[in-house]
Amino acid sequence: MKRIDKHVYLTSDQIKRVEDYGLSKGMGFSTSIADIIDRVYQYDILNEKLIKMQNDLSFLTRKVIIGYKLLEQLYSDLDFDAISDINKSDALKQFNRLMRRGRLID
């Protein structure tokens, strides 16, 4: 580590926490401060990734809800008096083939 001549002012509570952290990890005071700084930096990066994941999940949730609503509308428009055998449906077979290949166009 490089020694720098900077003045850092800490409260007595902060000093106590740094000392306790250093004792629990077997580090000196300066090493504890450096480790805490590294951990805060990593925390910020992970926190940004978590926020992005939450936003992506919210987006996906909205898309699923839209899909569900469209499916509800489709079922409400179907004529259930003329239900056919799903195992013989060519359209359903083609749809399932496209789903398995991942080629379904949105």
Side-chain angles (χ1 to χ4, degrees), residues 17-35:
R17 280 185 269 179
V18 171
E19 289 172 344
D20 289 344
Y21 179 79
L23 284 174
S24 70
K25 302 289 185 182
M27 297 184 228
F29 191 83
S30 294
T31 309
S32 297
I33 293 284
D35 191 58

Side-chain angles (χ1 to χ4, degrees), residues 5 7 11 33 41 47 50 57 63-64 68 72 78 87:
D5 187 19
H7 298 283
T11 65
I33 293 284
Y41 180 73
N47 195 35
L50 180 60
L57 184 59
K63 295 298 180 183
V64 167
Y68 181 77
E72 281 183 333
L78 288 177
N87 295 323

